């Protein structure tokens, strides 16, 4: 994966990535870069907050006094402009001054005060576009991990409501990328994949992801969430996806391996993916889940083509030993993730094709029994 930061990416994501590299990966170079960026931004509150986990970025008492004095002076100047706008200028000038105050507070790392300031600025905003621009700033702070997930989810819902009630196409498409990135955190790759695929031809959220990062997330979520025909029609042949082939060799190895049924190539690429996920701020918490789901996808695709296949043949296709594949499949069979059974005596894997009609019938019967039991309990209560 290409991890180079796009020049137009919002600075809050650059700071979040450096914080992740410094804290989770013990990258001393990232720690030094992070400290320099925060000092240049005069982000004293954020420096003080991060120093609890990263003592090496702590500033001296003299530096603290200098930064505080500079911030107090700048804030006083902004407050004066707000006062002047409220007394002598129009509503749009007041909103601009309020946004400037919120931007300042966000820049220095006083995030709760910044959120309050942005919400006040939004209340003065005229038009859906202006309101969405302010909400998008809050969303970026949330995706960078600087505000609570609860507030992030609430802001996302407010943004979606505004988009549905007059938002333009450009902001609507950007919001899809914001929401998909949020869904990564919730491990909802199916919903994220749909949003990212819808955004392929219209991607413009460069403030959140570089283009290669966006394509990486689109391919990865699609590998987990969509079937092979969809991969062939919407991903493999997409000009937007193909434009990043040279930059994303690992995930393209997975994509081509699955679509071309080259499972040995798929598994080799999967080994490389693990290391890339470890260095991804959004996906590292889901690393083992993603690797497991991709293995299940490949096993299911291979087995669905056969009524029965020898353990030896499948092991050879994936480049595994028979004993490893036996244990691997047994684990997924027990958990109900793969519909097959293994005859160890004959060395054969037999697939159990799920009877969806019978399954739906049984589910309906069970739900009906539950409803009847509740009605009986209610009738006894009424009789009493």
């Amino acid at each position: 994966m290409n991890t180079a930061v796009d020049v137009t990416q919002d600075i809050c994501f650059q700071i979040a990535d450096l914080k992740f590299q410094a804290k989770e990966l013990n990258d001393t170079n990232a720690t030094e870069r992070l400290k320099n960026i925060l000092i240049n931004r005069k982000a004293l509150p954020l420096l003080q907050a991060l120093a609890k986990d990263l003592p090496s970025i702590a500033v001296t008492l003299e530096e603290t006094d200098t930064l505080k004095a500079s911030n107090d002076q700048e804030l006083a100047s902004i407050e004066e402009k707000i006062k002047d706008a409220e007394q002598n200028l129009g509503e749009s000038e007041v909103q601009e001054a309020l946004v400037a105050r919120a931007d300042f507070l966000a820049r220095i790392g006083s995030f709760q005060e910044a959120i309050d300031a942005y919400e006040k600025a939004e209340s003065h905003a005229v038009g859906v576009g202006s309101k969405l621009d302010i909400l998008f700033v809050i969303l970026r702070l949330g995706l960078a991990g600087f505000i609570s997930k609860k507030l992030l989810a609430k802001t996302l819902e407010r943004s979606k409501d505004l988009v549905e009630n007059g938002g333009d196409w450009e902001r609507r498409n950007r919001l899809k990328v914001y929401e998909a990135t949020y869904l990564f955190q919730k491990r909802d790759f199916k919903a994220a994949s749909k949003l990212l695929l819808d955004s392929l031809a219209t991607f413009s959220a460069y403030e959140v992801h570089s283009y290669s990062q966006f394509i990486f997330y689109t391919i990865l979520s699609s590998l987990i969430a969509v079937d092979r025909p969809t991969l062939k029609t919407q991903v493999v042949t997409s000009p937007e996806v193909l434009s990043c082939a040279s930059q994303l060799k690992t995930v393209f190895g997975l994509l081509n391996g699955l679509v071309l049924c080259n499972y040995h190539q798929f598994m080799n690429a999967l080994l490389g993916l693990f290391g890339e996920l470890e260095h991804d701020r959004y996906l590292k918490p889901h690393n083992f889940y993603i690797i497991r789901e991709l293995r299940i996808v490949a096993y299911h695709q291979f087995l669905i083509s056969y009524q029965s296949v020898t353990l030896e043949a499948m092991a050879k296709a994936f480049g595994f030993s028979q004993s490893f594949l036996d244990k691997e499949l047994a684990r997924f069979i027990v958990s109900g993730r793969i519909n097959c059974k293994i005859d160890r005596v004959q060395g054969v894997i037999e697939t159990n094709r799920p009877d969806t009609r019978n399954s739906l019938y049984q589910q309906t019967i069970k739900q009906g029994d539950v409803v009847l039991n509740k009605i009986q309990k209610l009738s006894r209560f009424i009789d009493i």
Side-chain angles (χ1 to χ4, degrees):
M1 175 181 172
N2 180 12
T3 56
V5 175
D6 193 279
V7 291
T8 58
Q9 187 184 42
D10 193 297
I11 187 65
C12 71
F13 293 112
Q14 298 181 43
I15 292 172
D17 287 340
L18 288 172
K19 174 190 168 188
F20 167 79
Q21 293 162 19
K23 185 178 177 182
E24 301 295 331
L25 307 177
N26 298 316
D27 187 332
T28 55
N29 181 50
T31 305
E32 187 65 27
R33 290 173 59 200
L34 176 62
K35 182 176 181 179
N36 290 336
I37 288 175
L38 295 182
I39 289 176
N40 289 335
R41 289 169 65 81
K42 302 176 183 178
L44 179 60
L46 187 53
L47 276 165
Q48 292 172 329
L50 294 180
K52 296 174 183 177
D53 295 321
L54 298 168
S56 59
I57 73 166
V59 291
T60 65
L61 186 60
E62 182 180 353
E63 288 174 320
T64 299
D65 291 339
T66 301
L67 291 172
K68 186 176 186 306
S70 177
N71 286 342
D72 289 345
Q73 182 180 355
E74 186 174 350
L75 182 59
S77 175
I78 293 172
E79 296 288 5
E80 190 64 32
K81 290 178 181 177
I82 293 174
K83 185 177 179 181
D84 178 60
E86 289 175 338
Q87 293 177 350
N88 304 309
L89 302 173
E91 190 68 22
S92 62
E93 288 80 9
V94 172
Q95 187 220 331
E96 288 177 9
L98 290 172
V99 169
R101 182 177 186 274
D103 287 342
F104 165 78
L105 293 168
R107 192 194 80 205
I108 67 172
S110 292
F111 295 117
Q112 187 53 57
E113 291 181 75
I115 296 304
D116 295 339
Y118 280 123
E119 289 179 346
K120 184 175 181 180
E122 187 205 345
S123 68
H124 286 75
V126 178
V128 172
S130 298
K131 289 179 178 290
L132 279 171
D133 288 341
I134 293 172
L135 292 178
F136 280 8
V137 178
I138 300 175
L139 288 176
R140 291 197 290 273
L141 291 175
L143 294 175
F146 295 127
I147 63 174
S148 69
K149 291 182 180 180
K150 183 177 180 181
L151 179 57
L152 172 58
K154 178 183 175 183
T155 306
L156 182 60
E157 289 305 314
R158 287 169 61 196
S159 301
K160 289 165 69 175
D161 288 342
L162 280 175
V163 161
E164 291 302 319
N165 290 285
D168 59 82
W169 279 105
E170 191 267 341
R171 290 184 176 89
R172 183 187 299 268
N173 290 328
R174 284 167 57 204
L175 184 59
K176 288 181 181 179
V177 178
Y178 282 65
E179 185 178 2
T181 307
Y182 165 71
L183 291 170
F184 287 155
Q185 300 178 5
K186 294 183 64 179
R187 200 179 276 182
D188 190 349
F189 292 102
K190 184 175 182 179
S193 172
K194 185 178 186 305
L195 291 168
L196 293 175
L197 287 173
D198 287 346
S199 305
L200 264 179
T202 56
F203 175 76
S204 60
Y206 292 99
E207 70 276 15
V208 182
H209 302 302
S210 69
Y211 193 69
S212 61
Q213 286 175 318
F214 164 71
I215 295 299
F216 175 86
Y217 294 136
T218 301
I219 295 173
L220 186 63
S221 59
S222 298
L223 283 168
I224 296 172
V226 306
D227 56 19
R228 184 165 170 258
T230 304
L231 286 175
K232 292 176 71 174
T233 57
Q234 295 190 30
V235 183
V236 173
T237 58
S238 166
E240 292 81 11
V241 171
L242 292 174
S243 68
C244 293
S246 62
Q247 297 171 274
L248 306 172
K249 293 181 179 178
T250 300
V251 77
F252 265 85
L254 288 166
L255 178 62
N256 291 327
L258 194 64
V259 170
L260 300 175
C261 300
N262 187 337
Y263 300 107
H264 198 282
Q265 174 186 333
F266 180 88
M267 287 298 167
N268 284 337
L270 200 59
L271 291 174
L273 180 68
F274 185 87
E276 294 188 12
L277 296 180
E278 282 290 299
H279 290 77
D280 189 290
R281 179 169 58 87
Y282 296 111
L283 301 179
K284 186 179 188 296
H286 315 297
N287 197 343
F288 290 100
Y289 171 83
I290 291 170
I291 297 297
R292 185 183 73 238
E293 291 303 305
L294 288 173
R295 296 203 314 270
I296 291 173
V297 167
Y299 297 149
H300 175 76
Q301 180 175 294
F302 178 89
L303 291 169
I304 201 69
S305 304
Y306 300 94
Q307 250 187 337
S308 65
V309 63
T310 64
L311 195 62
E312 179 184 5
M314 185 172 180
K316 184 177 180 181
F318 282 86
F320 296 153
S321 68
Q322 292 186 50
S323 60
F324 174 83
L325 182 61
D326 187 358
K327 293 176 183 177
E328 176 91 328
L329 290 179
R331 189 155 56 92
F332 293 133
I333 292 169
V334 169
S335 62
R337 299 302 309 278
I338 294 179
N339 294 307
C340 69
K341 60 182 180 180
I342 301 173
D343 184 341
R344 287 191 177 89
V345 176
Q346 300 295 326
V348 172
I349 306 168
E350 297 179 359
T351 57
N352 300 323
R353 300 186 185 279
D355 186 346
T356 54
R357 179 180 294 181
N358 185 58
S359 176
L360 183 61
Y361 172 76
Q362 295 296 332
Q363 184 180 357
T364 304
I365 294 296
K366 288 181 180 179
Q367 291 175 343
D369 288 340
V370 171
V371 172
L372 287 174
N373 287 335
K374 288 183 178 180
I375 291 174
Q376 288 175 351
K377 289 179 182 178
L378 181 61
S379 64
R380 286 197 295 269
F381 177 78
I382 293 173
D383 289 341
I384 292 172

PDB file of all heavy atoms in Angstrom, residues 178-204:
ATOM      1  N   TYR A 178     -16.525   9.660   3.692  1.00  0.00           N
ATOM      2  CA  TYR A 178     -16.478   9.890   5.136  1.00  0.00           C
ATOM      3  C   TYR A 178     -17.194   8.756   5.868  1.00  0.00           C
ATOM      4  O   TYR A 178     -16.678   8.206   6.848  1.00  0.00           O
ATOM      5  CB  TYR A 178     -17.166  11.210   5.489  1.00  0.00           C
ATOM      6  CG  TYR A 178     -16.363  12.462   5.227  1.00  0.00           C
ATOM      7  CD1 TYR A 178     -16.005  12.845   3.949  1.00  0.00           C
ATOM      8  CD2 TYR A 178     -15.976  13.296   6.272  1.00  0.00           C
ATOM      9  CE1 TYR A 178     -15.286  14.000   3.708  1.00  0.00           C
ATOM     10  CE2 TYR A 178     -15.258  14.468   6.046  1.00  0.00           C
ATOM     11  CZ  TYR A 178     -14.920  14.804   4.757  1.00  0.00           C
ATOM     12  OH  TYR A 178     -14.202  15.956   4.527  1.00  0.00           O
ATOM     13  N   GLU A 179     -18.395   8.413   5.394  1.00  0.00           N
ATOM     14  CA  GLU A 179     -19.179   7.377   6.065  1.00  0.00           C
ATOM     15  C   GLU A 179     -18.506   6.015   5.954  1.00  0.00           C
ATOM     16  O   GLU A 179     -18.483   5.240   6.923  1.00  0.00           O
ATOM     17  CB  GLU A 179     -20.587   7.305   5.471  1.00  0.00           C
ATOM     18  CG  GLU A 179     -21.485   6.326   6.201  1.00  0.00           C
ATOM     19  CD  GLU A 179     -22.897   6.269   5.661  1.00  0.00           C
ATOM     20  OE1 GLU A 179     -23.194   6.971   4.672  1.00  0.00           O
ATOM     21  OE2 GLU A 179     -23.715   5.509   6.235  1.00  0.00           O
ATOM     22  N   ALA A 180     -17.953   5.715   4.781  1.00  0.00           N
ATOM     23  CA  ALA A 180     -17.264   4.429   4.597  1.00  0.00           C
ATOM     24  C   ALA A 180     -16.080   4.315   5.556  1.00  0.00           C
ATOM     25  O   ALA A 180     -15.839   3.254   6.137  1.00  0.00           O
ATOM     26  CB  ALA A 180     -16.795   4.284   3.155  1.00  0.00           C
ATOM     27  N   THR A 181     -15.347   5.410   5.731  1.00  0.00           N
ATOM     28  CA  THR A 181     -14.205   5.408   6.653  1.00  0.00           C
ATOM     29  C   THR A 181     -14.676   5.184   8.081  1.00  0.00           C
ATOM     30  O   THR A 181     -14.035   4.465   8.858  1.00  0.00           O
ATOM     31  CB  THR A 181     -13.434   6.737   6.546  1.00  0.00           C
ATOM     32  OG1 THR A 181     -13.104   6.991   5.171  1.00  0.00           O
ATOM     33  CG2 THR A 181     -12.146   6.678   7.359  1.00  0.00           C
ATOM     34  N   TYR A 182     -15.803   5.778   8.433  1.00  0.00           N
ATOM     35  CA  TYR A 182     -16.395   5.549   9.757  1.00  0.00           C
ATOM     36  C   TYR A 182     -16.811   4.086   9.919  1.00  0.00           C
ATOM     37  O   TYR A 182     -16.614   3.482  10.986  1.00  0.00           O
ATOM     38  CB  TYR A 182     -17.604   6.466   9.935  1.00  0.00           C
ATOM     39  CG  TYR A 182     -18.501   6.097  11.092  1.00  0.00           C
ATOM     40  CD1 TYR A 182     -18.092   6.291  12.410  1.00  0.00           C
ATOM     41  CD2 TYR A 182     -19.762   5.551  10.866  1.00  0.00           C
ATOM     42  CE1 TYR A 182     -18.918   5.946  13.470  1.00  0.00           C
ATOM     43  CE2 TYR A 182     -20.593   5.212  11.918  1.00  0.00           C
ATOM     44  CZ  TYR A 182     -20.166   5.408  13.222  1.00  0.00           C
ATOM     45  OH  TYR A 182     -20.989   5.058  14.273  1.00  0.00           O
ATOM     46  N   LEU A 183     -17.348   3.496   8.863  1.00  0.00           N
ATOM     47  CA  LEU A 183     -17.797   2.104   8.927  1.00  0.00           C
ATOM     48  C   LEU A 183     -16.633   1.126   9.107  1.00  0.00           C
ATOM     49  O   LEU A 183     -16.818   0.044   9.648  1.00  0.00           O
ATOM     50  CB  LEU A 183     -18.604   1.752   7.676  1.00  0.00           C
ATOM     51  CG  LEU A 183     -19.970   2.439   7.565  1.00  0.00           C
ATOM     52  CD1 LEU A 183     -20.572   2.226   6.186  1.00  0.00           C
ATOM     53  CD2 LEU A 183     -20.917   1.923   8.644  1.00  0.00           C
ATOM     54  N   PHE A 184     -15.424   1.503   8.642  1.00  0.00           N
ATOM     55  CA  PHE A 184     -14.248   0.678   8.921  1.00  0.00           C
ATOM     56  C   PHE A 184     -14.081   0.488  10.427  1.00  0.00           C
ATOM     57  O   PHE A 184     -13.762  -0.602  10.899  1.00  0.00           O
ATOM     58  CB  PHE A 184     -12.969   1.334   8.382  1.00  0.00           C
ATOM     59  CG  PHE A 184     -12.829   1.282   6.883  1.00  0.00           C
ATOM     60  CD1 PHE A 184     -12.064   2.211   6.214  1.00  0.00           C
ATOM     61  CD2 PHE A 184     -13.462   0.300   6.140  1.00  0.00           C
ATOM     62  CE1 PHE A 184     -11.915   2.167   4.844  1.00  0.00           C
ATOM     63  CE2 PHE A 184     -13.328   0.244   4.764  1.00  0.00           C
ATOM     64  CZ  PHE A 184     -12.559   1.188   4.119  1.00  0.00           C
ATOM     65  N   GLN A 185     -14.277   1.575  11.161  1.00  0.00           N
ATOM     66  CA  GLN A 185     -14.102   1.521  12.607  1.00  0.00           C
ATOM     67  C   GLN A 185     -15.133   0.602  13.256  1.00  0.00           C
ATOM     68  O   GLN A 185     -14.878   0.006  14.303  1.00  0.00           O
ATOM     69  CB  GLN A 185     -14.190   2.926  13.205  1.00  0.00           C
ATOM     70  CG  GLN A 185     -13.131   3.881  12.673  1.00  0.00           C
ATOM     71  CD  GLN A 185     -13.270   5.281  13.232  1.00  0.00           C
ATOM     72  OE1 GLN A 185     -14.099   5.538  14.093  1.00  0.00           O
ATOM     73  NE2 GLN A 185     -12.450   6.205  12.748  1.00  0.00           N
ATOM     74  N   LYS A 186     -16.300   0.493  12.624  1.00  0.00           N
ATOM     75  CA  LYS A 186     -17.355  -0.388  13.138  1.00  0.00           C
ATOM     76  C   LYS A 186     -17.262  -1.810  12.571  1.00  0.00           C
ATOM     77  O   LYS A 186     -18.076  -2.665  12.876  1.00  0.00           O
ATOM     78  CB  LYS A 186     -18.731   0.196  12.795  1.00  0.00           C
ATOM     79  CG  LYS A 186     -19.040   1.512  13.484  1.00  0.00           C
ATOM     80  CD  LYS A 186     -20.438   1.983  13.152  1.00  0.00           C
ATOM     81  CE  LYS A 186     -21.482   1.031  13.689  1.00  0.00           C
ATOM     82  NZ  LYS A 186     -22.862   1.472  13.395  1.00  0.00           N
ATOM     83  N   ARG A 187     -16.266  -2.034  11.703  1.00  0.00           N
ATOM     84  CA  ARG A 187     -16.038  -3.339  11.085  1.00  0.00           C
ATOM     85  C   ARG A 187     -17.200  -3.750  10.171  1.00  0.00           C
ATOM     86  O   ARG A 187     -17.474  -4.934   9.966  1.00  0.00           O
ATOM     87  CB  ARG A 187     -15.787  -4.409  12.153  1.00  0.00           C
ATOM     88  CG  ARG A 187     -15.085  -5.641  11.642  1.00  0.00           C
ATOM     89  CD  ARG A 187     -14.835  -6.644  12.744  1.00  0.00           C
ATOM     90  NE  ARG A 187     -13.621  -6.339  13.472  1.00  0.00           N
ATOM     91  CZ  ARG A 187     -13.135  -7.067  14.477  1.00  0.00           C
ATOM     92  NH1 ARG A 187     -13.782  -8.159  14.860  1.00  0.00           N
ATOM     93  NH2 ARG A 187     -12.038  -6.720  15.101  1.00  0.00           N
ATOM     94  N   ASP A 188     -17.872  -2.755   9.602  1.00  0.00           N
ATOM     95  CA  ASP A 188     -18.959  -3.032   8.668  1.00  0.00           C
ATOM     96  C   ASP A 188     -18.417  -2.850   7.250  1.00  0.00           C
ATOM     97  O   ASP A 188     -18.670  -1.847   6.578  1.00  0.00           O
ATOM     98  CB  ASP A 188     -20.130  -2.082   8.921  1.00  0.00           C
ATOM     99  CG  ASP A 188     -21.380  -2.475   8.134  1.00  0.00           C
ATOM    100  OD1 ASP A 188     -21.270  -3.343   7.236  1.00  0.00           O
ATOM    101  OD2 ASP A 188     -22.455  -1.907   8.408  1.00  0.00           O
ATOM    102  N   PHE A 189     -17.682  -3.858   6.777  1.00  0.00           N
ATOM    103  CA  PHE A 189     -17.021  -3.741   5.488  1.00  0.00           C
ATOM    104  C   PHE A 189     -18.005  -3.879   4.325  1.00  0.00           C
ATOM    105  O   PHE A 189     -17.741  -3.371   3.230  1.00  0.00           O
ATOM    106  CB  PHE A 189     -15.908  -4.789   5.367  1.00  0.00           C
ATOM    107  CG  PHE A 189     -14.760  -4.523   6.293  1.00  0.00           C
ATOM    108  CD1 PHE A 189     -14.608  -5.242   7.474  1.00  0.00           C
ATOM    109  CD2 PHE A 189     -13.840  -3.539   6.006  1.00  0.00           C
ATOM    110  CE1 PHE A 189     -13.563  -4.988   8.334  1.00  0.00           C
ATOM    111  CE2 PHE A 189     -12.784  -3.276   6.857  1.00  0.00           C
ATOM    112  CZ  PHE A 189     -12.643  -4.000   8.027  1.00  0.00           C
ATOM    113  N   LYS A 190     -19.120  -4.536   4.565  1.00  0.00           N
ATOM    114  CA  LYS A 190     -20.110  -4.687   3.497  1.00  0.00           C
ATOM    115  C   LYS A 190     -20.715  -3.340   3.123  1.00  0.00           C
ATOM    116  O   LYS A 190     -20.780  -2.970   1.944  1.00  0.00           O
ATOM    117  CB  LYS A 190     -21.212  -5.662   3.930  1.00  0.00           C
ATOM    118  CG  LYS A 190     -22.229  -5.945   2.841  1.00  0.00           C
ATOM    119  CD  LYS A 190     -23.226  -7.013   3.274  1.00  0.00           C
ATOM    120  CE  LYS A 190     -24.205  -7.316   2.148  1.00  0.00           C
ATOM    121  NZ  LYS A 190     -25.174  -8.377   2.515  1.00  0.00           N
ATOM    122  N   ALA A 191     -21.156  -2.598   4.130  1.00  0.00           N
ATOM    123  CA  ALA A 191     -21.729  -1.273   3.869  1.00  0.00           C
ATOM    124  C   ALA A 191     -20.667  -0.315   3.346  1.00  0.00           C
ATOM    125  O   ALA A 191     -20.934   0.501   2.454  1.00  0.00           O
ATOM    126  CB  ALA A 191     -22.366  -0.721   5.142  1.00  0.00           C
ATOM    127  N   ALA A 192     -19.451  -0.416   3.884  1.00  0.00           N
ATOM    128  CA  ALA A 192     -18.358   0.448   3.431  1.00  0.00           C
ATOM    129  C   ALA A 192     -18.036   0.182   1.965  1.00  0.00           C
ATOM    130  O   ALA A 192     -17.810   1.116   1.182  1.00  0.00           O
ATOM    131  CB  ALA A 192     -17.122   0.235   4.297  1.00  0.00           C
ATOM    132  N   SER A 193     -18.035  -1.090   1.578  1.00  0.00           N
ATOM    133  CA  SER A 193     -17.727  -1.460   0.197  1.00  0.00           C
ATOM    134  C   SER A 193     -18.727  -0.849  -0.775  1.00  0.00           C
ATOM    135  O   SER A 193     -18.345  -0.323  -1.829  1.00  0.00           O
ATOM    136  CB  SER A 193     -17.725  -2.985   0.048  1.00  0.00           C
ATOM    137  OG  SER A 193     -17.615  -3.364  -1.299  1.00  0.00           O
ATOM    138  N   LYS A 194     -19.993  -0.892  -0.421  1.00  0.00           N
ATOM    139  CA  LYS A 194     -21.031  -0.330  -1.306  1.00  0.00           C
ATOM    140  C   LYS A 194     -20.808   1.164  -1.523  1.00  0.00           C
ATOM    141  O   LYS A 194     -20.888   1.664  -2.647  1.00  0.00           O
ATOM    142  CB  LYS A 194     -22.415  -0.578  -0.704  1.00  0.00           C
ATOM    143  CG  LYS A 194     -23.558  -0.131  -1.606  1.00  0.00           C
ATOM    144  CD  LYS A 194     -24.899  -0.446  -0.969  1.00  0.00           C
ATOM    145  CE  LYS A 194     -26.045  -0.131  -1.931  1.00  0.00           C
ATOM    146  NZ  LYS A 194     -26.023   1.251  -2.441  1.00  0.00           N
ATOM    147  N   LEU A 195     -20.503   1.872  -0.456  1.00  0.00           N
ATOM    148  CA  LEU A 195     -20.284   3.317  -0.553  1.00  0.00           C
ATOM    149  C   LEU A 195     -19.041   3.641  -1.380  1.00  0.00           C
ATOM    150  O   LEU A 195     -19.044   4.569  -2.195  1.00  0.00           O
ATOM    151  CB  LEU A 195     -20.158   3.918   0.847  1.00  0.00           C
ATOM    152  CG  LEU A 195     -21.433   3.929   1.690  1.00  0.00           C
ATOM    153  CD1 LEU A 195     -21.109   4.277   3.135  1.00  0.00           C
ATOM    154  CD2 LEU A 195     -22.441   4.927   1.124  1.00  0.00           C
ATOM    155  N   LEU A 196     -17.981   2.880  -1.174  1.00  0.00           N
ATOM    156  CA  LEU A 196     -16.733   3.131  -1.894  1.00  0.00           C
ATOM    157  C   LEU A 196     -16.866   2.809  -3.380  1.00  0.00           C
ATOM    158  O   LEU A 196     -16.354   3.537  -4.232  1.00  0.00           O
ATOM    159  CB  LEU A 196     -15.591   2.332  -1.268  1.00  0.00           C
ATOM    160  CG  LEU A 196     -15.200   2.762   0.156  1.00  0.00           C
ATOM    161  CD1 LEU A 196     -14.142   1.829   0.722  1.00  0.00           C
ATOM    162  CD2 LEU A 196     -14.696   4.201   0.173  1.00  0.00           C
ATOM    163  N   LEU A 197     -17.553   1.715  -3.680  1.00  0.00           N
ATOM    164  CA  LEU A 197     -17.779   1.367  -5.089  1.00  0.00           C
ATOM    165  C   LEU A 197     -18.620   2.437  -5.783  1.00  0.00           C
ATOM    166  O   LEU A 197     -18.377   2.771  -6.952  1.00  0.00           O
ATOM    167  CB  LEU A 197     -18.454   0.000  -5.201  1.00  0.00           C
ATOM    168  CG  LEU A 197     -17.583  -1.213  -4.888  1.00  0.00           C
ATOM    169  CD1 LEU A 197     -18.422  -2.491  -4.862  1.00  0.00           C
ATOM    170  CD2 LEU A 197     -16.451  -1.356  -5.912  1.00  0.00           C
ATOM    171  N   ASP A 198     -19.596   2.993  -5.065  1.00  0.00           N
ATOM    172  CA  ASP A 198     -20.420   4.069  -5.626  1.00  0.00           C
ATOM    173  C   ASP A 198     -19.594   5.326  -5.885  1.00  0.00           C
ATOM    174  O   ASP A 198     -19.971   6.151  -6.736  1.00  0.00           O
ATOM    175  CB  ASP A 198     -21.566   4.420  -4.664  1.00  0.00           C
ATOM    176  CG  ASP A 198     -22.653   3.362  -4.645  1.00  0.00           C
ATOM    177  OD1 ASP A 198     -22.669   2.512  -5.547  1.00  0.00           O
ATOM    178  OD2 ASP A 198     -23.482   3.384  -3.711  1.00  0.00           O
ATOM    179  N   SER A 199     -18.475   5.473  -5.145  1.00  0.00           N
ATOM    180  CA  SER A 199     -17.660   6.688  -5.240  1.00  0.00           C
ATOM    181  C   SER A 199     -16.502   6.563  -6.217  1.00  0.00           C
ATOM    182  O   SER A 199     -15.752   7.534  -6.407  1.00  0.00           O
ATOM    183  CB  SER A 199     -17.107   7.043  -3.846  1.00  0.00           C
ATOM    184  OG  SER A 199     -18.132   7.157  -2.896  1.00  0.00           O
ATOM    185  N   LEU A 200     -16.324   5.391  -6.831  1.00  0.00           N
ATOM    186  CA  LEU A 200     -15.150   5.155  -7.667  1.00  0.00           C
ATOM    187  C   LEU A 200     -14.974   6.212  -8.765  1.00  0.00           C
ATOM    188  O   LEU A 200     -13.880   6.747  -8.957  1.00  0.00           O
ATOM    189  CB  LEU A 200     -15.231   3.766  -8.319  1.00  0.00           C
ATOM    190  CG  LEU A 200     -14.500   2.629  -7.614  1.00  0.00           C
ATOM    191  CD1 LEU A 200     -14.689   1.331  -8.375  1.00  0.00           C
ATOM    192  CD2 LEU A 200     -13.021   2.936  -7.457  1.00  0.00           C
ATOM    193  N   ALA A 201     -16.037   6.502  -9.478  1.00  0.00           N
ATOM    194  CA  ALA A 201     -15.928   7.409 -10.627  1.00  0.00           C
ATOM    195  C   ALA A 201     -15.999   8.876 -10.230  1.00  0.00           C
ATOM    196  O   ALA A 201     -15.726   9.751 -11.058  1.00  0.00           O
ATOM    197  CB  ALA A 201     -17.025   7.095 -11.635  1.00  0.00           C
ATOM    198  N   THR A 202     -16.335   9.144  -8.961  1.00  0.00           N
ATOM    199  CA  THR A 202     -16.570  10.540  -8.558  1.00  0.00           C
ATOM    200  C   THR A 202     -15.754  10.944  -7.336  1.00  0.00           C
ATOM    201  O   THR A 202     -16.053  11.949  -6.699  1.00  0.00           O
ATOM    202  CB  THR A 202     -18.063  10.763  -8.243  1.00  0.00           C
ATOM    203  OG1 THR A 202     -18.482   9.834  -7.229  1.00  0.00           O
ATOM    204  CG2 THR A 202     -18.916  10.571  -9.486  1.00  0.00           C
ATOM    205  N   PHE A 203     -14.729  10.175  -6.999  1.00  0.00           N
ATOM    206  CA  PHE A 203     -13.965  10.439  -5.780  1.00  0.00           C
ATOM    207  C   PHE A 203     -13.352  11.837  -5.788  1.00  0.00           C
ATOM    208  O   PHE A 203     -12.693  12.234  -6.750  1.00  0.00           O
ATOM    209  CB  PHE A 203     -12.854   9.400  -5.619  1.00  0.00           C
ATOM    210  CG  PHE A 203     -11.943   9.671  -4.448  1.00  0.00           C
ATOM    211  CD1 PHE A 203     -12.367   9.397  -3.155  1.00  0.00           C
ATOM    212  CD2 PHE A 203     -10.682  10.217  -4.639  1.00  0.00           C
ATOM    213  CE1 PHE A 203     -11.536   9.648  -2.071  1.00  0.00           C
ATOM    214  CE2 PHE A 203      -9.850  10.478  -3.564  1.00  0.00           C
ATOM    215  CZ  PHE A 203     -10.277  10.192  -2.272  1.00  0.00           C
ATOM    216  N   SER A 204     -13.582  12.573  -4.701  1.00  0.00           N
ATOM    217  CA  SER A 204     -12.988  13.910  -4.571  1.00  0.00           C
ATOM    218  C   SER A 204     -12.606  14.232  -3.125  1.00  0.00           C
ATOM    219  O   SER A 204     -12.234  15.362  -2.834  1.00  0.00           O
ATOM    220  CB  SER A 204     -13.960  14.979  -5.103  1.00  0.00           C
ATOM    221  OG  SER A 204     -15.181  14.958  -4.366  1.00  0.00           O
TER     222      SER A 204
END
